[in-house]
Amino acid sequence: MGSLCVRGGPGPLGEWGEGMTSEGRTTRVSEGSRTAAPTEEPPRSPWPALWAMVLGFFMILVDSTIVSVATPAIMVAFDANVNGVVWVTSAYLLAYAVPLLITGRLGDRYGPKRLYLIGLTVFTLASLWCGLTDTIGALVVARVVQGIGASMLTPQTMAVITRTFPAASRGQAMALWGATAGVAMLVGPILGGLLTDGPGWEWIFFVNVPVGIVGLVLAIRLVPRLETHTHSFDWLGVVLSAVGMFLIVFAIQEGETYDWGTITGPVSIPALIILGLIVIGVFLWWQRRNSREPLLPLGLFRDRNFSLANAGISAVGCSITAMAFPLMLYAQGVRGLSPTGAALLLAPMAVISGGLAPVAGRLTDRLHPRSLASFGVVTTAGAIFWLASVMRPDTETWQLLLPMSLMGVGSPFLWAPLSATATRNLPMSAAGAGSGVYNTTRQVGAVLGSAAIAVLMQARLATNLPGIPTDGAAIRQGGGTMPPAIADGFAAAMAESMVLPAAVLLAGVVAVLFFERPRHQTA
């Protein structure tokens, strides 16, 4: 009998898996006996499980953008200063990004379904806690717990796709995964504006509770229990990766707050980055020396496509995150749009991206990823350059919507080819580890983009508006419109800043041009 591809599902005699033998017959495999016997029951479709998990993934992505819209209301509610309220977002992003390597590996050991359910439960309860807090400190702590829940949930979605979808049809599943991110970018700011203007800022967190409950019910019913791989756990690797990731992500994320200099005493932003890199270096050395069960199987990087896809998604995460900041500041400061109105500028991108996602998925399964990913990168970068060229105070709205529409055309050809190419050749025992690496790379790219765009925007504002204060109190008047005396300079600074995310994307072409043809296309 041929080899088994195991899919989970509880059977009457214990934990069973469903799969297809190499001869094409359906089998059921007992975890205890590991013996296979033919049965006529067809294998379970993986699509219902994916749709159930996408709901939770969508919720945490929305939460990454929804809070920024409510930041002024939170400052008023708690009488907090800017540094205090920034940590409402920073704490979440840190707690989300740092454990991803660990939680991905935990999914391999204890099962992606179990980790997903725990993560979604933690995230949902923490959301309720966030809405009930009465101090800014308590809100920051609750956001940390919320971020930990998100970090447990995220890698499991990709791991389940990798382990339940055949390599030849994985592109369609990854297209849905990528489209979820695009739609969440639109829904988050709009929903945040509507809830903050309506029932209050607390409801940006309360809204997660019913969605989380529905997601839990669906996941319990539809997501299969997959085979686990019980080995020793690399606790030293856990500590080293967590410390190294925290130092690097914290330093990059807070660099602008401390002007990239001293935090306190001998501690400085550059020192934290250097120390973090040293710790990560020790972590990688230990992973290579650990002969038992390393937290990060370095053998994954022997697959060229996996390594290149991680480089590509880092550029995408950096670019998409960086692009949003100058665009929203231009829309609200120069054009006087409300947060909801500014978010609606993203509507063409989200709608077109969602509509083309199935097309991108089908093509990803059939065509060389090099051509698709290159098209996505070049089209999206061109759209950002186009958008930057029309970001003026007197630009008609339709002139902004055209490049946003083009961005919607390119976006699905970024997410689907990159994620599918990264996971096609992963061994099933390392699906969670590979997913953790991929999501960590994406998140670190996003943090780098956030830090880099903040520095560049400040530099361009200083050049275009020398000697003029550009803080919110100085540049905003009644009705939210910027004084004409500085509108031109401010718009020019934001447009020039948009060159960075476009250039980073173009640099990502270097990675995707070296993709190899997937194995399923050469078989």
Side-chain angles (χ1 to χ4, degrees):
M1 181 174 291
S3 61
L4 239 347
C5 174
V6 177
R7 293 181 186 167
L13 301 179
E15 290 298 319
W16 297 84
E18 291 184 345
M20 292 293 293
T21 68
S22 57
E23 291 85 358
R25 290 178 292 173
T26 308
T27 62
R28 293 175 70 83
V29 185
S30 167
E31 289 287 344
S33 65
R34 310 303 300 163
T35 59
T39 176
E40 295 183 1
E41 182 179 338
R44 178 187 299 180
S45 170
W47 281 102
L50 176 58
W51 279 106
M53 299 186 82
V54 158
L55 180 62
F57 183 52
F58 176 78
M59 185 170 67
I60 65 169
L61 289 175
V62 166
D63 210 71
S64 299
T65 58
I66 197 173
V67 176
S68 59
V69 178
T71 297
I74 294 173
M75 291 179 67
V76 172
F78 294 118
D79 193 23
N81 58 28
V82 173
N83 288 334
V85 80
V86 160
W87 271 101
V88 175
T89 297
S90 296
Y92 174 81
L93 293 176
L94 274 170
Y96 182 11
V98 170
L100 281 170
L101 278 178
I102 302 166
T103 56
R105 198 58 169 160
L106 286 173
D108 287 332
R109 182 174 182 182
Y110 298 107
K113 177 175 182 176
R114 182 175 297 172
L115 263 291
Y116 178 88
L117 292 175
I118 294 173
L120 186 55
T121 300
V122 170
F123 184 90
T124 302
L125 292 176
S127 296
L128 179 62
W129 181 11
C130 287
L132 295 175
T133 53
D134 56 3
T135 66
I136 193 70
L139 179 58
V140 169
V141 173
R143 288 282 281 168
V144 169
V145 178
Q146 200 180 31
I148 292 172
S151 74
M152 297 175 72
L153 181 158
T154 299
Q156 316 315 325
T157 57
M158 281 189 70
V160 168
I161 292 173
T162 302
R163 296 179 61 180
T164 59
F165 282 84
S169 61
R170 201 171 292 157
Q172 297 178 59
M174 288 300 181
L176 174 61
W177 188 81
T180 301
V183 175
M185 282 184 59
L186 171 66
V187 173
I190 294 177
L191 186 60
L194 293 174
L195 291 174
T196 303
D197 292 338
W201 67 267
E202 299 91 344
W203 284 89
I204 66 173
F205 300 113
F206 288 151
V207 73
N208 290 332
V209 176
V211 178
I213 292 172
V214 172
L216 281 169
V217 173
L218 291 176
I220 291 171
R221 291 178 59 86
L222 299 176
V223 177
R225 291 188 181 275
L226 301 176
E227 181 184 15
T228 57
H229 305 273
T230 304
H231 302 288
S232 60
F233 204 67
D234 182 11
W235 292 109
L236 178 58
V238 168
V239 173
L240 289 173
S241 68
V243 171
M245 284 292 298
F246 174 82
L247 291 172
I248 293 173
V249 174
F250 173 84
I252 294 172
Q253 191 168 285
E254 300 303 310
E256 182 65 16
T257 302
Y258 295 99
D259 198 24
W260 299 95
T262 300
I263 297 177
T264 178
V267 180
S268 67
I269 293 295
L272 289 180
I273 293 176
I274 293 171
L275 181 59
L277 291 173
I278 292 173
V279 174
I280 290 296
V282 174
F283 166 71
L284 294 175
W285 172 84
W286 168 244
Q287 296 307 283
R288 186 171 183 176
R289 290 292 302 272
N290 185 0
S291 59
R292 299 182 67 189
E293 184 71 14
L295 178 67
L296 174 61
L298 296 180
L300 294 175
F301 292 96
R302 295 193 188 103
D303 180 67
R304 179 197 291 184
N305 282 358
F306 179 79
S307 299
L308 294 175
N310 273 276
I313 198 61
S314 177
V316 171
C318 176
S319 176
I320 298 301
T321 301
M323 179 202 77
F325 287 99
L327 177 61
M328 289 297 106
L329 286 173
Y330 161 78
Q332 295 182 51
V334 177
R335 302 184 68 84
L337 297 176
S338 67
T340 303
L344 284 173
L345 291 177
L346 303 174
M349 180 185 70
V351 171
I352 296 174
S353 177
L356 288 178
V359 177
R362 287 192 293 271
L363 292 177
T364 297
D365 289 329
R366 300 172 185 173
L367 302 181
H368 200 301
R370 180 193 304 146
S371 57
L372 292 175
S374 298
F375 171 80
V377 168
V378 172
T379 301
T380 306
I384 297 175
F385 277 122
W386 183 6
L387 181 62
S389 70
V390 297
M391 285 174 57
R392 299 182 297 271
D394 58 349
T395 299
E396 297 288 341
T397 301
W398 65 267
Q399 291 180 278
L400 299 172
L401 297 180
L402 288 177
M404 295 304 299
S405 299
L406 181 61
M407 204 176 302
V409 173
S411 179
F413 295 95
L414 291 173
W415 300 103
L418 287 172
S419 53
T421 302
T423 60
R424 286 204 200 271
N425 298 332
L426 288 182
M428 295 300 101
S429 61
S435 176
V437 172
Y438 187 82
N439 282 284
T440 298
T441 304
R442 175 177 60 85
Q443 194 66 19
V444 171
V447 173
L448 285 170
S450 175
I453 201 68
V455 173
L456 183 57
M457 285 191 300
Q458 191 62 41
R460 299 319 302 159
L461 284 170
T463 300
N464 286 276
L465 298 169
I468 299 179
T470 54
D471 59 284
I475 66 177
R476 299 297 291 269
Q477 291 181 332
T481 303
M482 185 177 293
I486 62 173
D488 285 337
F490 194 93
M494 296 303 100
E496 291 163 6
S497 300
M498 294 283 280
V499 173
L500 173 66
V504 169
L505 261 185
L506 287 180
V509 172
V510 177
V512 302
L513 285 178
F514 288 94
F515 277 149
E516 294 179 318
R517 186 177 294 277
R519 293 172 187 169
H520 79 278
Q521 293 182 1
T522 58

